[in-house]
């Protein structure tokens, strides 16, 4: 039987079972922490920055005009739309394959790309690794890739930046760009966010415990205390509330009563 | 008289804890001040389901009423699964079934009344288990019996079977001053208790109140530690 329950009853039930909430929160938090630390592979990111500008529109040498700025913004928007097109990604894939073949052929210029020897990075994979975003309403475009290997992350960022730098102007005509920052290389993982996962685990554990308590309360059909009787049958008095006889042990104090009995 | 030690532990006595004794005294006081008659009060103890504590509470309330100076008779009306005789270590027969079937004459009611170690408290046990308990309870001899008992006792407490299982409890409606419903904490279901109340209301029975039985003690001392400040000195 599902019955109405008051907020105060819910709060009392939660406080009564606070140990369950804390226990589940701790267990889930620890579990999330361990999972995040040991089961999720660390991710590394590499970022480059391109400055996009439209040099052919209203340009007075060395000075930026309003028209120029508007046109540059428009060009940047185009970059954001085009960076994940198959044209760009396939071009990036080909370039990475060149690196690989260069290493395999023993070319000294590619000696640092040994990590490509036993892997193939497809256009689809490149697409899933990279993101591009505008910086603060400026004409600066960040290209960022994330991978399990920091070397792969840097290579993909470098290659995609190259493609954007060289291919998009050819496609669009008047736009130009300039690399303001080459692809970074970092051995400090950017993911997983262990602290965030742990916190999520704690919250999820606590929420699950609260849900359990709530469901138990809603579907609890048993009379437990006198308040349940008052609630269901307000017109019928409770004559007596007798505690568990086995739980109340007889002791010396019982002798007080004995002295009072006839 | 064979004593069943395990069941006797549930009957209040010198070894019963202060908390339980005081709880029963409180229930007794509430019963005494409830809307009962000046003459003999015939009080039916029942519950919705088996094993909720009807017999124990009927007996303990009888003990407390007797201690208050009332002349009390407990009648074990559960002629299917009688418990009172076993609990108090009394002879099961002759008892109610013999009275109602005519085996024991109504003029000889005292012969089936068992004295107990509690002053002012007597018991009519269920008797031998008959094949037709409901018919016995609804027969005319029950009216004669009740009339006779009213003249001799201040309180007649009737221990009956669970009301949602058999209809015996409702058959006492014409004789009963009121009904006391036993509810067992953490066992009795709300819907069953509601059904019981509705069933009694349908026959216009007067419900005196609930006794909540077997409640878990959560607060330390159940408040009774403070009573030691008021210890009586002999």
């Amino acid at each position: 039987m599902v019955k109405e329950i008051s907020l105060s009853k819910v709060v009392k039930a939660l406080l009564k079972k606070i140990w369950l909430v804390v226990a589940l929160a701790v267990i889930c938090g620890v579990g999330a922490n361990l999972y995040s630390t040991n089961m999720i592979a660390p991710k590394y990111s590499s970022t480059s920055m391109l400055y996009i500008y439209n040099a052919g529109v209203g340009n007075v040498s060395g000075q930026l005009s309003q028209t120029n700025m508007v046109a540059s913004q428009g060009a940047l928007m185009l970059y954001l739309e085009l960076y994940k097109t198959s044209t760009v990604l396939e071009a990036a894939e080909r370039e990475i394959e060149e690196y690989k073949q260069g290493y395999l052929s023993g070319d000294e210029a590619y000696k640092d790309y040994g990590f490509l020897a036993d892997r193939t990075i497809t256009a689809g994979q490149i697409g899933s690794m990279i993101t591009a975003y505008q910086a603060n309403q400026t004409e600066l475009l960040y290209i960022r890739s994330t991978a399990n290997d920091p070397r792969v992350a840097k290579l993909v960022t470098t290659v995609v930046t190259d493609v954007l730098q060289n291919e998009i102007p050819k496609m669009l005509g008047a736009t130009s760009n300039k690399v303001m920052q080459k692809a970074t290389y970092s051995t400090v993982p950017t993911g997983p966010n262990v602290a965030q996962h742990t916190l999520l685990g704690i919250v999820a554990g606590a929420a699950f415990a609260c849900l359990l308590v709530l469901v138990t309360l809603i579907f609890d059909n048993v009379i437990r205390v006198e308040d349940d009787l008052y609630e269901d049958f307000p017109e019928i008095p409770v004559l007596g509330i007798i505690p568990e006889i086995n739980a109340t042990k007889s002791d010396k104090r019982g002798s007080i009563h004995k002295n009072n009995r006839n | 008289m064979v004593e069943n030690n395990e069941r006797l532990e549930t009957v209040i006595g010198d070894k019963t804890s202060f908390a339980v004794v005081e709880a029963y005294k409180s229930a007794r006081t509430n019963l005494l001040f409830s809307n009962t008659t000046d003459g003999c009060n015939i009080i039916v103890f029942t519950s919705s389901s088996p094993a909720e504590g009807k017999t124990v509470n009927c007996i303990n309330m009888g003990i407390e009423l007797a201690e208050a100076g009332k002349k009390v008779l407990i009648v074990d009306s559960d002629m299917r699964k009688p418990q009172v005789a076993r609990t108090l270590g009394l002879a099961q027969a002759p008892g109610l079934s013999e009275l109602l079937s005519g085996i024991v004459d109504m003029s000889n009611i005292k012969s089936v009344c068992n004295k107990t170690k509690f002053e002012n408290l007597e018991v009519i046990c269920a008797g031998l288990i008959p094949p037709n308990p409901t018919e016995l309870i609804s027969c005319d001899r029950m009216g004669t019996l009740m009339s006779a008992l009213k003249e001799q006792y201040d309180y007649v407490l009737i221990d009956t079977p669970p009301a949602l299982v058999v209809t015996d409890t409702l058959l006492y409606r014409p004789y009963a001053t009121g009904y006391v419903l036993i509810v067992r904490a953490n066992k009795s279901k709300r819907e069953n208790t509601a059904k019981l109340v509705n069933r009694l209301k349908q026959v216009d029975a007067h419900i005196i109140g609930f006794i909540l039985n077997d409640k878990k003690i959560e607060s330390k001392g159940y408040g009774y530690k403070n009573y030691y400040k008021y210890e009586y000195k002999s």
Side-chain angles (χ1 to χ4, degrees):
Chain A
M1 183 172 88
V2 179
K3 60 185 189 296
E4 286 181 13
I5 50 172
S6 63
L7 185 61
S8 62
K9 232 179 179 179
V10 172
V11 172
K12 275 184 195 172
L14 285 172
L15 287 173
K16 202 174 173 183
K17 296 284 184 186
I18 194 71
W19 61 269
L20 180 68
V21 175
V22 171
L24 274 180
V26 168
I27 289 169
C28 290
V30 169
N33 183 286
L34 289 173
Y35 179 79
S36 186
T37 307
N38 300 311
M39 303 297 287
I40 301 178
K43 296 279 188 189
Y44 301 89
S45 294
S46 174
T47 309
S48 67
M49 187 199 307
L50 270 181
Y51 170 51
I52 312 296
Y53 61 93
N54 198 319
V57 179
N59 181 42
V60 176
S61 62
Q63 291 182 342
L64 278 173
S65 67
Q66 179 72 18
T67 311
N68 182 271
M69 286 170 69
V70 170
S72 296
Q73 284 282 325
L76 190 140
M77 291 298 131
L78 283 172
Y79 274 76
L80 284 172
E81 289 298 323
L82 293 172
Y83 84 97
K84 273 203 175 180
T85 57
S86 57
T87 305
V88 171
L89 297 179
E90 286 168 4
E93 181 187 357
R94 286 192 296 275
E95 196 167 322
I96 290 175
E97 188 61 25
E98 282 177 20
Y99 279 87
K100 178 179 175 180
Q101 293 306 321
Y103 171 77
L104 290 175
S105 68
D107 191 333
E108 274 294 305
Y110 298 95
K111 63 176 180 176
D112 294 332
Y113 296 97
F115 61 90
L116 293 174
D118 54 356
R119 72 175 85 193
T120 303
I121 302 175
T122 64
Q125 287 172 327
I126 295 169
S128 66
M129 280 190 243
I130 60 163
T131 53
Y133 52 95
Q134 183 185 12
N136 295 326
Q137 305 293 321
T138 63
E139 291 83 43
L140 292 172
L141 179 71
Y142 281 102
I143 299 118
R144 177 185 168 109
S145 77
T146 304
N148 293 342
D149 188 331
R151 298 168 299 183
V152 171
K154 184 186 175 188
L155 178 62
V156 168
T157 301
T158 302
V159 164
V160 170
T161 305
D162 283 345
V163 171
L164 289 177
Q165 187 179 21
N166 300 315
E167 296 301 321
I168 299 296
K170 289 179 192 172
M171 289 161 62
L172 298 181
T175 63
S176 286
N177 58 64
K178 189 175 179 182
V179 175
M180 304 304 290
Q181 175 187 292
K182 288 187 179 177
T184 58
Y185 177 82
S186 175
T187 53
V188 178
T190 54
N193 190 331
V194 176
Q196 186 185 64
H197 291 169
T198 304
L199 184 62
L200 277 175
I202 291 172
V203 170
F208 180 63
C210 290
L211 185 65
L212 269 179
V213 171
L214 190 62
V215 168
T216 307
L217 186 65
I218 288 172
F219 290 100
D220 184 12
N221 191 27
V222 171
I223 293 173
R224 301 199 184 276
V225 293
E226 59 275 21
D227 285 348
D228 295 334
L229 290 170
Y230 296 143
E231 196 179 298
D232 289 357
F233 314 102
E235 74 283 7
I236 302 175
V238 176
L239 298 175
I241 302 164
I242 314 299
E244 283 179 294
I245 290 179
N246 290 334
T248 54
K249 296 176 185 173
S250 59
D251 55 22
K252 289 183 196 174
R253 293 164 180 166
S255 66
I256 295 175
H257 180 75
K258 182 180 177 181
N259 291 334
N260 293 334
R261 280 179 169 271
N262 293 326
Chain B
M1 196 189 303
V2 176
E3 289 202 348
N4 185 327
N5 289 332
E6 196 177 301
R7 295 193 68 84
L8 274 177
E9 279 177 9
T10 60
V11 175
I12 53 176
D14 291 339
K15 291 183 179 177
T16 308
S17 75
F18 186 86
V20 172
V21 171
E22 284 306 302
Y24 275 113
K25 285 189 187 304
S26 175
R28 176 195 66 190
T29 304
N30 289 331
L31 183 63
L32 287 170
F33 283 100
S34 64
N35 190 19
T36 50
T37 64
D38 289 333
C40 175
N41 290 285
I42 297 178
I43 305 202
V44 177
F45 283 71
T46 189
S47 67
S48 58
S49 307
E52 289 188 317
K54 292 180 297 305
T55 301
V56 166
N57 281 279
C58 182
I59 291 172
N60 287 335
M61 287 298 288
I63 292 169
E64 287 298 330
L65 285 167
E67 220 183 63
K70 305 294 180 183
K71 285 194 69 180
V72 182
L73 175 73
I74 293 174
V75 178
D76 188 353
S77 177
D78 189 347
M79 289 182 277
R80 292 177 181 77
K81 285 178 118 178
Q83 302 281 344
V84 175
R86 281 204 308 154
T87 303
L88 291 175
L90 302 171
Q92 180 73 35
L96 183 66
S97 62
E98 283 78 11
L99 270 176
L100 296 177
S101 59
I103 295 172
V104 172
D105 193 71
M106 280 294 171
S107 60
N108 205 12
I109 293 173
K110 277 296 182 185
S111 67
V112 301
C113 288
N114 296 277
K115 289 197 183 299
T116 66
K117 63 179 182 177
F118 303 101
E119 195 180 340
N120 297 325
L121 179 65
E122 293 179 353
V123 177
I124 294 180
C125 297
L128 293 176
I129 296 175
N132 55 343
T134 305
E135 286 73 17
L136 286 179
I137 292 171
S138 55
C139 71
D140 293 338
R141 294 175 72 86
M142 175 59 82
T144 308
L145 174 63
M146 289 293 125
S147 299
L149 294 178
K150 274 183 171 180
E151 291 174 7
Q152 299 174 45
Y153 298 95
D154 298 316
Y155 279 86
V156 176
L157 308 184
I158 305 176
D159 181 27
T160 62
L164 295 187
V165 179
V166 294
T167 58
D168 297 7
T169 302
L170 302 178
L171 297 173
Y172 283 99
R173 157 70 183 87
Y175 317 110
T177 309
Y179 284 75
V180 171
L181 310 186
I182 306 300
V183 174
R184 189 167 175 188
N186 302 309
K187 184 180 186 293
S188 301
K189 292 194 189 315
R190 297 174 93 119
E191 58 189 355
N192 287 345
T193 305
K195 280 182 190 171
L196 171 60
V197 170
N198 286 336
R199 203 165 281 192
L200 289 172
K201 283 182 177 176
Q202 278 173 359
V203 298
D204 210 23
H206 172 54
I207 302 173
I208 299 172
F210 291 107
I211 288 180
L212 180 64
N213 187 34
D214 228 20
K215 183 187 170 187
K216 281 192 192 307
I217 301 172
E218 288 178 353
S219 57
K220 286 184 181 177
Y222 193 64
Y224 72 92
K225 280 186 181 172
N226 291 330
Y227 281 98
Y228 295 115
K229 298 178 186 172
Y230 306 104
E231 177 180 336
Y232 295 117
K233 295 188 180 174
S234 55

